[in-house]
Amino acid sequence: MSRIQIFLFILFSAISLIFIVLNKTADFYISTHLSEILLFPVRHVSNFFQYLNVSQKKIDELETRLSEIQIENQNLKDSLRTLSLPEIILKKDLRLLKANIIGRDPLNFNGFLYIDKGRSDSLDINAPVILQDKLVGKIKALTTNTGIVETIENDGFAISAVDTRTGVYGVVKKKNQLTFEYVKVDDEINKGDSIYTSGLSEIFPKGIFVGTVAKINYSDDLFFKEVIITPALKINQLNYVYIIH
């Protein structure tokens, strides 16, 4: 036996003899204080995890409120331009629900997302899906506890939109790339302009950021020009989203 092993053997033997010799009151007193010392690290670890849990809930609450404020702020800017006060009041009733992304369609990786919220969370088909004030897509299908989001990256996705700088209206569509369609040849629109949802829809409220004008192509078409949009979000980098309901 090494010296350390001998020392530990003697120490534990002495502690055992003390507990045997002492009366029950002293035994209880020593064991109580000893347990406090031994459980001290456990209590601190438990308190730390409880703190993390509370902090995450607080972060979720702040992110939700931030998303609401960003959309309300964009709507306020637009409303001040047009003095459309009823829209400001409408946006104050906005409610958001956070949902985690739990899967992706392997055949259309960015086209559809699977989320951990469903009918039991009072969601509806076609409910808009966002992150902060940026457009992700809409609810395509629901089960009791899960849902499928059709994203802006899915071919065929379309939404009414507006260039907030010039007030030019059009439709954002995804074919091979995201385009802002039905923009006339003589309409004022420039690279770098921001495109937002127009509110001319029963599904999407006004003021959600869709993307930025990346390129303008002219062709033989005498009426319209092709406007290419860079999406506001990279769908393949998302871990969670918010549903407007």
Side-chain angles (χ1 to χ4, degrees):
M1 287 182 114
S2 65
R3 292 182 179 179
I4 296 176
Q5 289 175 325
I6 295 173
F7 173 76
L8 292 175
F9 175 77
I10 294 173
L11 176 63
F12 287 122
S13 298
I15 292 172
S16 301
L17 288 173
I18 291 172
F19 279 109
I20 294 172
V21 172
L22 291 175
N23 58 38
K24 291 184 178 180
T25 302
D27 185 26
F28 175 77
Y29 177 82
I30 294 174
S31 62
T32 300
H33 285 72
L34 184 62
S35 65
E36 289 181 359
I37 296 172
L38 294 175
L39 291 176
F40 180 78
V42 177
R43 282 199 301 272
H44 274 262
V45 171
S46 176
N47 290 339
F48 176 71
F49 281 108
Q50 185 177 5
Y51 167 78
L52 289 181
N53 187 45
V54 172
S55 297
Q56 185 58 51
K57 289 181 179 178
K58 190 64 177 177
I59 289 171
D60 289 346
E61 291 174 2
L62 291 174
E63 284 182 342
T64 300
R65 185 56 189 147
L66 175 62
S67 298
E68 294 172 350
I69 290 172
Q70 286 175 322
I71 295 177
E72 289 172 3
N73 181 57
Q74 181 59 39
N75 187 70
L76 179 60
K77 289 178 182 177
D78 295 337
S79 298
L80 288 175
R81 292 192 191 104
T82 60
L83 298 181
S84 178
L85 296 179
E87 281 190 347
I88 301 176
I89 297 172
L90 176 64
K91 288 302 179 183
K92 290 186 181 299
D93 296 329
L94 185 69
R95 291 187 301 142
L96 299 178
L97 176 67
K98 185 178 181 180
N100 295 307
I101 296 173
I102 56 176
R104 300 173 186 269
D105 186 341
L107 300 179
N108 190 359
F109 193 74
N110 290 331
F112 294 97
L113 304 175
Y114 298 87
I115 58 174
D116 62 351
K117 295 292 185 294
R119 291 195 189 94
S120 61
D121 302 289
S122 301
L123 296 185
D124 296 314
I125 299 295
N126 289 330
V129 180
I130 63 172
L131 183 62
Q132 295 179 359
D133 65 334
K134 302 174 180 65
L135 180 65
V136 176
K138 63 182 179 179
I139 298 293
K140 184 69 174 179
L142 291 169
T143 65
T144 302
N145 297 311
T146 62
I148 298 176
V149 176
E150 180 186 10
T151 78
I152 197 171
E153 292 288 345
N154 187 53
D155 284 346
F157 189 95
I159 182 173
S160 175
V162 62
D163 183 325
T164 54
R165 185 183 67 84
T166 64
V168 172
Y169 284 80
V171 175
V172 173
K173 287 186 177 181
K174 177 63 191 299
K175 292 183 283 191
N176 294 326
Q177 52 192 340
L178 202 63
T179 58
F180 189 38
E181 298 194 348
Y182 307 113
V183 177
K184 294 180 181 180
V185 172
D186 58 352
D187 280 340
E188 182 186 355
I189 187 167
N190 296 318
K191 183 178 179 180
D193 284 0
S194 297
I195 307 300
Y196 282 77
T197 54
S198 66
L200 302 179
S201 167
E202 295 180 356
I203 298 175
F204 295 95
K206 188 175 184 179
I208 303 174
F209 186 30
V210 179
T212 305
V213 175
K215 187 178 180 181
I216 302 172
N217 296 326
Y218 294 88
S219 63
D220 296 333
D221 193 322
L222 299 177
F223 299 100
F224 302 106
K225 53 190 173 184
E226 184 183 44
V227 181
I228 310 301
I229 303 295
T230 300
L233 289 171
K234 293 184 178 180
I235 302 299
N236 62 350
Q237 294 181 352
L238 301 182
N239 296 312
Y240 60 89
V241 293
Y242 286 90
I243 300 101
I244 299 176
H245 71 117

Coordinates of all heavy atoms in Angstrom, one line a residue, residues 78-155:
D78 N -44.8 52.8 -43.4 CA -45.7 52.8 -44.6 C -47.0 53.6 -44.3 O -47.5 54.3 -45.2 CB -46.1 51.4 -45.0 CG -44.8 50.6 -45.5 OD1 -43.9 51.3 -45.9 OD2 -44.8 49.4 -45.5
S79 N -47.5 53.4 -43.1 CA -48.8 54.1 -42.8 C -48.6 55.6 -42.7 O -49.5 56.3 -43.0 CB -49.3 53.5 -41.4 OG -49.5 52.1 -41.5
L80 N -47.4 56.0 -42.2 CA -47.2 57.5 -42.1 C -47.1 58.1 -43.5 O -47.5 59.2 -43.7 CB -45.9 57.7 -41.4 CG -46.0 57.5 -39.8 CD1 -44.6 57.6 -39.2 CD2 -47.0 58.4 -39.2
R81 N -46.7 57.3 -44.5 CA -46.6 57.8 -45.9 C -48.0 58.0 -46.4 O -48.3 58.8 -47.2 CB -45.8 56.8 -46.7 CG -44.3 56.7 -46.4 CD -43.6 56.0 -47.6 NE -42.2 55.7 -47.2 CZ -41.8 54.5 -46.8 NH1 -42.7 53.5 -46.8 NH2 -40.6 54.3 -46.5
T82 N -48.9 57.0 -46.0 CA -50.3 57.0 -46.6 C -51.3 57.4 -45.6 O -52.5 57.5 -46.0 CB -50.6 55.6 -47.1 OG1 -50.5 54.7 -46.0 CG2 -49.6 55.2 -48.2
L83 N -50.9 57.7 -44.4 CA -51.9 58.1 -43.3 C -53.0 57.0 -43.1 O -54.1 57.3 -42.9 CB -52.5 59.4 -43.6 CG -51.6 60.6 -43.7 CD1 -52.4 61.9 -44.0 CD2 -50.8 60.8 -42.4
S84 N -52.5 55.8 -43.3 CA -53.4 54.6 -43.2 C -53.4 54.2 -41.7 O -52.8 53.2 -41.4 CB -53.0 53.5 -44.1 OG -53.9 52.4 -43.9
L85 N -54.1 54.9 -40.8 CA -54.1 54.6 -39.4 C -54.7 53.3 -39.0 O -54.2 52.6 -38.1 CB -54.8 55.8 -38.6 CG -54.1 57.1 -38.7 CD1 -54.9 58.2 -38.0 CD2 -52.7 57.1 -38.2
P86 N -55.8 52.8 -39.7 CA -56.3 51.5 -39.3 C -55.3 50.4 -39.3 O -55.4 49.4 -38.6 CB -57.4 51.3 -40.3 CG -57.8 52.7 -40.7 CD -56.6 53.5 -40.7
E87 N -54.3 50.4 -40.3 CA -53.3 49.4 -40.4 C -52.4 49.4 -39.2 O -52.0 48.3 -38.7 CB -52.5 49.6 -41.6 CG -53.1 49.1 -42.9 CD -52.2 49.1 -44.1 OE1 -51.1 49.7 -43.9 OE2 -52.5 48.5 -45.1
I88 N -52.2 50.5 -38.6 CA -51.3 50.6 -37.4 C -52.0 49.9 -36.3 O -51.5 49.1 -35.5 CB -51.0 52.1 -37.0 CG1 -50.3 52.8 -38.1 CG2 -50.2 52.1 -35.7 CD1 -50.1 54.2 -37.8
I89 N -53.3 50.1 -36.1 CA -54.1 49.5 -35.1 C -54.1 48.0 -35.3 O -54.0 47.2 -34.3 CB -55.6 50.0 -35.0 CG1 -55.5 51.5 -34.7 CG2 -56.4 49.3 -34.0 CD1 -56.8 52.2 -34.9
L90 N -54.3 47.5 -36.5 CA -54.3 46.1 -36.8 C -53.1 45.4 -36.4 O -53.1 44.3 -35.8 CB -54.6 45.9 -38.3 CG -54.6 44.5 -38.9 CD1 -55.7 43.7 -38.3 CD2 -54.6 44.4 -40.4
K91 N -51.9 46.0 -36.7 CA -50.7 45.4 -36.4 C -50.4 45.2 -34.9 O -49.6 44.4 -34.4 CB -49.5 46.2 -37.0 CG -49.4 46.1 -38.5 CD -49.3 44.6 -38.9 CE -49.3 44.5 -40.4 NZ -49.2 43.1 -40.9
K92 N -51.1 46.0 -34.0 CA -50.9 45.8 -32.6 C -51.5 44.5 -32.1 O -51.3 44.1 -31.0 CB -51.5 47.0 -31.9 CG -50.8 48.3 -32.1 CD -51.3 49.5 -31.2 CE -50.6 50.7 -31.5 NZ -49.1 50.6 -31.1
D93 N -52.4 43.9 -32.9 CA -52.9 42.6 -32.5 C -52.1 41.4 -33.0 O -52.5 40.3 -32.9 CB -54.4 42.5 -33.1 CG -55.3 43.5 -32.5 OD1 -55.1 43.9 -31.3 OD2 -56.2 44.0 -33.2
L94 N -50.9 41.7 -33.5 CA -50.1 40.6 -34.1 C -49.6 39.7 -33.0 O -49.2 40.1 -31.9 CB -48.9 41.3 -34.7 CG -47.9 40.3 -35.5 CD1 -48.5 39.8 -36.7 CD2 -46.6 41.1 -35.8
R95 N -49.7 38.4 -33.2 CA -49.3 37.3 -32.3 C -48.4 36.4 -33.0 O -48.6 35.9 -34.1 CB -50.5 36.6 -31.7 CG -51.3 37.4 -30.7 CD -52.4 36.6 -30.0 NE -53.2 35.9 -31.0 CZ -53.7 34.7 -30.9 NH1 -53.4 34.0 -29.8 NH2 -54.5 34.1 -31.8
L96 N -47.3 36.0 -32.3 CA -46.3 35.2 -32.9 C -46.1 33.9 -32.0 O -46.1 34.0 -30.8 CB -44.9 35.9 -33.1 CG -44.9 37.1 -34.0 CD1 -43.5 37.7 -34.0 CD2 -45.3 36.8 -35.4
L97 N -45.8 32.8 -32.7 CA -45.5 31.5 -32.0 C -44.2 31.0 -32.5 O -44.1 30.8 -33.7 CB -46.7 30.5 -32.2 CG -46.5 29.1 -31.6 CD1 -46.5 29.2 -30.1 CD2 -47.5 28.2 -32.2
K98 N -43.3 30.7 -31.6 CA -42.0 30.1 -32.0 C -42.1 28.6 -32.3 O -42.8 27.9 -31.6 CB -41.0 30.4 -30.9 CG -39.6 29.9 -31.3 CD -38.5 30.2 -30.3 CE -37.1 29.8 -30.7 NZ -36.1 30.1 -29.7
A99 N -41.5 28.2 -33.4 CA -41.5 26.8 -33.7 C -40.1 26.3 -34.1 O -39.4 27.1 -34.8 CB -42.4 26.5 -34.8
N100 N -39.6 25.2 -33.6 CA -38.3 24.7 -33.9 C -38.4 23.8 -35.2 O -39.4 23.1 -35.4 CB -37.8 23.8 -32.8 CG -37.5 24.6 -31.5 OD1 -36.8 25.6 -31.6 ND2 -38.1 24.2 -30.4
I101 N -37.4 23.9 -36.0 CA -37.3 23.1 -37.2 C -36.8 21.7 -36.9 O -35.7 21.6 -36.3 CB -36.4 23.8 -38.3 CG1 -37.0 25.1 -38.7 CG2 -36.2 22.9 -39.5 CD1 -36.1 25.9 -39.6
I102 N -37.6 20.7 -37.2 CA -37.2 19.3 -36.7 C -36.9 18.5 -37.9 O -36.6 17.3 -37.8 CB -38.4 18.7 -35.9 CG1 -39.7 18.7 -36.7 CG2 -38.5 19.4 -34.6 CD1 -40.8 18.0 -36.0
G103 N -37.0 19.0 -39.2 CA -36.7 18.2 -40.3 C -36.8 19.0 -41.6 O -37.4 20.1 -41.6
R104 N -36.3 18.4 -42.7 CA -36.3 19.1 -44.0 C -36.6 18.0 -45.1 O -36.2 16.9 -44.9 CB -35.0 19.8 -44.3 CG -34.6 20.9 -43.3 CD -33.2 21.4 -43.6 NE -32.8 22.3 -42.5 CZ -33.0 23.6 -42.6 NH1 -33.5 24.1 -43.7 NH2 -32.6 24.4 -41.6
D105 N -37.3 18.5 -46.1 CA -37.6 17.5 -47.2 C -36.3 17.2 -47.9 O -35.7 18.0 -48.5 CB -38.6 18.2 -48.2 CG -39.1 17.3 -49.2 OD1 -38.5 16.2 -49.5 OD2 -40.1 17.6 -49.8
P106 N -35.9 15.9 -47.9 CA -34.7 15.5 -48.6 C -34.7 15.7 -50.1 O -33.6 15.8 -50.7 CB -34.5 14.0 -48.2 CG -35.9 13.6 -47.9 CD -36.6 14.7 -47.3
L107 N -35.9 15.7 -50.7 CA -36.0 15.9 -52.1 C -36.1 17.3 -52.5 O -35.9 17.7 -53.7 CB -37.2 15.1 -52.7 CG -37.3 13.6 -52.4 CD1 -38.5 13.0 -53.0 CD2 -36.0 13.0 -53.1
N108 N -36.4 18.2 -51.6 CA -36.5 19.6 -51.8 C -36.0 20.4 -50.6 O -36.8 20.9 -49.8 CB -37.9 20.0 -52.2 CG -38.0 21.4 -52.7 OD1 -37.1 22.2 -52.8 ND2 -39.3 21.8 -53.0
F109 N -34.7 20.3 -50.3 CA -34.1 20.7 -49.0 C -34.6 22.0 -48.5 O -34.9 22.1 -47.3 CB -32.6 20.6 -49.1 CG -31.9 20.6 -47.8 CD1 -31.9 19.5 -47.0 CD2 -31.3 21.7 -47.3 CE1 -31.3 19.5 -45.8 CE2 -30.6 21.7 -46.1 CZ -30.6 20.6 -45.3
N110 N -34.6 23.0 -49.3 CA -35.0 24.3 -48.8 C -36.4 24.7 -49.1 O -36.9 25.7 -48.8 CB -34.1 25.4 -49.5 CG -32.7 25.4 -49.0 OD1 -32.4 25.0 -47.8 ND2 -31.7 25.8 -49.8
G111 N -37.1 23.8 -49.9 CA -38.5 24.0 -50.2 C -39.5 23.8 -49.1 O -40.5 24.6 -49.0
F112 N -39.2 22.8 -48.3 CA -40.2 22.5 -47.2 C -39.4 22.3 -45.9 O -38.4 21.6 -45.9 CB -41.0 21.3 -47.6 CG -41.9 21.5 -48.7 CD1 -41.6 21.1 -50.0 CD2 -43.2 22.1 -48.5 CE1 -42.4 21.3 -51.1 CE2 -44.0 22.3 -49.6 CZ -43.7 21.9 -50.9
L113 N -40.0 22.8 -44.8 CA -39.4 22.6 -43.5 C -40.5 21.9 -42.6 O -41.7 22.2 -42.7 CB -39.0 23.9 -42.9 CG -38.0 24.8 -43.6 CD1 -37.9 26.1 -42.9 CD2 -36.7 24.1 -43.8
Y114 N -40.0 21.1 -41.7 CA -40.9 20.4 -40.7 C -40.7 21.1 -39.4 O -39.6 21.2 -38.9 CB -40.6 18.9 -40.7 CG -40.9 18.2 -42.0 CD1 -39.9 18.1 -42.9 CD2 -42.1 17.6 -42.3 CE1 -40.1 17.5 -44.1 CE2 -42.4 17.0 -43.5 CZ -41.3 16.9 -44.4 OH -41.6 16.3 -45.6
I115 N -41.8 21.5 -38.7 CA -41.7 22.2 -37.5 C -42.5 21.4 -36.3 O -43.3 20.5 -36.6 CB -42.3 23.6 -37.6 CG1 -43.8 23.5 -38.0 CG2 -41.5 24.4 -38.5 CD1 -44.5 24.9 -38.0
D116 N -42.2 21.8 -35.1 CA -42.7 21.0 -33.9 C -44.0 21.7 -33.4 O -44.3 21.6 -32.2 CB -41.7 20.9 -32.8 CG -41.2 22.3 -32.3 OD1 -41.6 23.3 -32.9 OD2 -40.5 22.3 -31.3
K117 N -44.7 22.4 -34.2 CA -46.0 23.0 -33.8 C -47.1 22.5 -34.8 O -46.8 22.4 -36.0 CB -45.9 24.5 -33.8 CG -45.0 25.0 -32.7 CD -45.5 24.7 -31.3 CE -44.6 25.4 -30.2 NZ -43.2 24.8 -30.2
G118 N -48.4 22.4 -34.3 CA -49.4 21.9 -35.2 C -50.8 22.4 -34.8 O -50.9 23.5 -34.2
R119 N -51.8 21.7 -35.1 CA -53.2 22.1 -34.8 C -53.4 22.3 -33.3 O -54.2 23.2 -32.9 CB -54.2 21.1 -35.3 CG -54.3 21.0 -36.8 CD -55.5 20.2 -37.3 NE -55.5 19.9 -38.7 CZ -55.0 18.8 -39.2 NH1 -54.5 17.9 -38.5 NH2 -55.0 18.7 -40.5
S120 N -52.7 21.5 -32.5 CA -52.9 21.7 -31.0 C -52.4 23.0 -30.5 O -52.7 23.4 -29.4 CB -52.2 20.6 -30.3 OG -50.8 20.6 -30.5
D121 N -51.6 23.7 -31.3 CA -51.1 25.0 -31.0 C -51.9 26.1 -31.7 O -51.5 27.3 -31.7 CB -49.6 25.2 -31.4 CG -48.8 24.1 -30.8 OD1 -48.5 24.2 -29.5 OD2 -48.3 23.2 -31.5
S122 N -53.1 25.8 -32.1 CA -54.1 26.7 -32.8 C -53.5 27.3 -34.1 O -53.8 28.5 -34.4 CB -54.4 27.9 -31.8 OG -55.0 27.4 -30.6
L123 N -52.7 26.6 -34.8 CA -52.2 27.0 -36.1 C -53.2 26.7 -37.2 O -54.0 25.8 -37.1 CB -50.9 26.4 -36.4 CG -49.7 26.7 -35.5 CD1 -48.4 26.1 -36.0 CD2 -49.6 28.2 -35.3
D124 N -53.1 27.4 -38.3 CA -54.0 27.2 -39.4 C -53.2 27.1 -40.7 O -52.0 27.6 -40.8 CB -55.0 28.4 -39.6 CG -55.9 28.6 -38.4 OD1 -56.5 27.6 -38.0 OD2 -56.1 29.7 -38.0
I125 N -53.7 26.4 -41.7 CA -53.1 26.3 -43.0 C -52.9 27.7 -43.6 O -53.8 28.6 -43.4 CB -54.0 25.5 -44.0 CG1 -54.1 24.0 -43.4 CG2 -53.3 25.4 -45.4 CD1 -52.8 23.3 -43.3
N126 N -51.8 28.0 -44.2 CA -51.5 29.3 -44.9 C -51.0 30.3 -43.9 O -50.8 31.5 -44.3 CB -52.6 29.8 -45.7 CG -52.8 29.0 -47.0 OD1 -51.9 28.4 -47.5 ND2 -54.1 28.9 -47.4
A127 N -50.9 30.0 -42.6 CA -50.4 31.0 -41.7 C -49.0 31.5 -42.1 O -48.1 30.6 -42.4 CB -50.4 30.5 -40.3
P128 N -48.7 32.8 -42.1 CA -47.4 33.2 -42.5 C -46.3 32.8 -41.5 O -46.5 32.7 -40.3 CB -47.5 34.8 -42.5 CG -49.0 35.0 -42.6 CD -49.6 33.9 -41.9
V129 N -45.1 32.5 -42.1 CA -44.0 32.1 -41.3 C -42.8 33.0 -41.5 O -42.5 33.3 -42.7 CB -43.6 30.6 -41.6 CG1 -42.4 30.2 -40.8 CG2 -44.7 29.7 -41.5
I130 N -42.2 33.5 -40.4 CA -41.2 34.5 -40.6 C -40.0 34.2 -39.6 O -40.1 33.3 -38.8 CB -41.7 36.0 -40.2 CG1 -42.2 36.0 -38.8 CG2 -42.9 36.3 -41.2 CD1 -42.6 37.4 -38.3
L131 N -39.0 35.0 -39.7 CA -37.9 35.1 -38.7 C -37.6 36.6 -38.5 O -37.2 37.2 -39.5 CB -36.7 34.3 -39.0 CG -35.6 34.3 -38.0 CD1 -36.1 33.7 -36.7 CD2 -34.3 33.6 -38.4
Q132 N -37.8 37.1 -37.3 CA -37.8 38.6 -37.1 C -38.8 39.2 -38.1 O -40.0 38.8 -38.1 CB -36.4 39.1 -37.3 CG -35.5 38.5 -36.2 CD -34.0 39.0 -36.3 OE1 -33.7 39.8 -37.2 NE2 -33.2 38.6 -35.4
D133 N -38.4 40.1 -39.0 CA -39.3 40.7 -39.9 C -39.1 40.2 -41.3 O -39.6 40.7 -42.3 CB -39.2 42.2 -39.9 CG -37.8 42.7 -40.5 OD1 -36.9 41.9 -40.3 OD2 -37.7 43.8 -41.0
K134 N -38.5 39.0 -41.4 CA -38.1 38.5 -42.8 C -39.0 37.3 -43.1 O -39.3 36.4 -42.3 CB -36.6 38.1 -42.8 CG -35.7 39.2 -42.5 CD -34.2 38.8 -42.3 CE -33.3 40.0 -42.0 NZ -33.6 40.5 -40.7
L135 N -39.4 37.2 -44.4 CA -40.3 36.1 -44.8 C -39.6 34.8 -45.0 O -38.5 34.7 -45.6 CB -40.9 36.5 -46.2 CG -41.9 35.5 -46.7 CD1 -43.1 35.4 -45.9 CD2 -42.3 35.9 -48.2
V136 N -40.2 33.7 -44.4 CA -39.7 32.4 -44.6 C -40.7 31.6 -45.5 O -40.3 31.0 -46.5 CB -39.7 31.6 -43.2 CG1 -39.3 30.2 -43.5 CG2 -38.6 32.3 -42.3
G137 N -42.0 31.7 -45.3 CA -43.0 31.1 -46.1 C -44.3 31.0 -45.5 O -44.7 32.0 -44.8
K138 N -45.0 29.9 -45.6 CA -46.4 29.8 -45.0 C -46.6 28.3 -44.7 O -45.9 27.4 -45.2 CB -47.4 30.2 -46.0 CG -47.5 29.4 -47.3 CD -48.5 30.0 -48.3 CE -48.6 29.1 -49.6 NZ -49.6 29.6 -50.5
I139 N -47.6 28.1 -43.8 CA -47.9 26.7 -43.4 C -48.6 26.0 -44.5 O -49.6 26.5 -45.1 CB -48.8 26.7 -42.1 CG1 -48.1 27.4 -40.9 CG2 -49.3 25.3 -41.8 CD1 -46.9 26.6 -40.4
K140 N -48.1 24.9 -44.9 CA -48.7 24.1 -46.0 C -49.6 23.0 -45.5 O -50.6 22.7 -46.1 CB -47.5 23.5 -46.9 CG -48.0 22.8 -48.1 CD -48.6 23.8 -49.1 CE -48.9 23.1 -50.5 NZ -49.4 24.0 -51.4
A141 N -49.2 22.3 -44.4 CA -49.9 21.2 -43.9 C -49.7 21.1 -42.4 O -48.7 21.5 -41.9 CB -49.5 19.9 -44.6
L142 N -50.7 20.5 -41.7 CA -50.6 20.4 -40.3 C -51.1 19.0 -39.8 O -52.0 18.4 -40.4 CB -51.5 21.4 -39.6 CG -51.1 22.9 -39.7 CD1 -52.2 23.8 -39.2 CD2 -49.8 23.1 -38.9
T143 N -50.5 18.5 -38.8 CA -51.0 17.4 -38.0 C -51.3 17.9 -36.6 O -51.2 19.1 -36.4 CB -50.0 16.2 -37.9 OG1 -48.8 16.7 -37.2 CG2 -49.5 15.8 -39.3
T144 N -51.6 17.0 -35.7 CA -51.9 17.5 -34.3 C -50.7 18.3 -33.7 O -50.9 19.3 -33.1 CB -52.3 16.3 -33.4 OG1 -53.4 15.6 -34.0 CG2 -52.6 16.8 -32.0
N145 N -49.5 17.7 -33.8 CA -48.4 18.3 -33.1 C -47.2 18.8 -34.0 O -46.2 19.3 -33.5 CB -47.8 17.3 -32.1 CG -48.8 17.0 -31.1 OD1 -49.4 17.8 -30.4 ND2 -49.0 15.7 -30.8
T146 N -47.4 18.7 -35.4 CA -46.3 19.1 -36.3 C -46.9 19.8 -37.5 O -48.1 19.8 -37.7 CB -45.5 17.9 -36.8 OG1 -46.4 17.0 -37.5 CG2 -44.9 17.1 -35.6
G147 N -46.0 20.5 -38.2 CA -46.5 21.2 -39.4 C -45.4 21.2 -40.5 O -44.3 20.9 -40.2
I148 N -45.9 21.5 -41.7 CA -44.9 21.6 -42.8 C -45.0 23.0 -43.3 O -46.1 23.6 -43.6 CB -45.3 20.6 -44.0 CG1 -45.2 19.2 -43.5 CG2 -44.4 20.8 -45.2 CD1 -45.6 18.1 -44.5
V149 N -43.9 23.7 -43.5 CA -43.8 25.0 -44.0 C -43.3 25.0 -45.4 O -42.2 24.4 -45.7 CB -42.8 25.8 -43.1 CG1 -42.6 27.3 -43.7 CG2 -43.2 25.9 -41.7
E150 N -44.1 25.6 -46.3 CA -43.6 25.8 -47.7 C -42.9 27.1 -47.7 O -43.4 28.2 -47.4 CB -44.8 25.9 -48.7 CG -44.4 26.1 -50.1 CD -45.5 26.4 -51.1 OE1 -46.7 26.6 -50.6 OE2 -45.3 26.4 -52.3
T151 N -41.6 27.1 -48.1 CA -40.7 28.3 -48.0 C -40.7 29.0 -49.3 O -41.1 28.5 -50.3 CB -39.3 27.9 -47.6 OG1 -38.6 27.4 -48.7 CG2 -39.3 26.9 -46.5
I152 N -40.2 30.2 -49.2 CA -40.0 31.1 -50.4 C -39.1 30.5 -51.4 O -39.0 30.9 -52.6 CB -39.5 32.5 -49.9 CG1 -39.8 33.5 -51.0 CG2 -38.1 32.4 -49.5 CD1 -39.5 34.9 -50.6
E153 N -38.3 29.4 -51.0 CA -37.4 28.8 -51.9 C -38.1 27.6 -52.7 O -37.4 27.0 -53.5 CB -36.2 28.2 -51.1 CG -35.3 29.2 -50.5 CD -34.4 29.9 -51.6 OE1 -34.4 29.4 -52.7 OE2 -33.9 31.0 -51.2
N154 N -39.3 27.4 -52.5 CA -40.0 26.3 -53.2 C -40.5 26.9 -54.6 O -41.2 27.9 -54.6 CB -41.2 25.8 -52.4 CG -41.8 24.6 -53.0 OD1 -41.1 23.6 -53.4 ND2 -43.1 24.6 -53.2
D155 N -40.2 26.1 -55.6 CA -40.7 26.6 -57.0 C -42.2 26.7 -57.0 O -42.9 25.8 -56.5 CB -40.3 25.6 -58.0 CG -38.8 25.7 -58.4 OD1 -38.2 26.7 -58.0 OD2 -38.2 24.8 -59.0

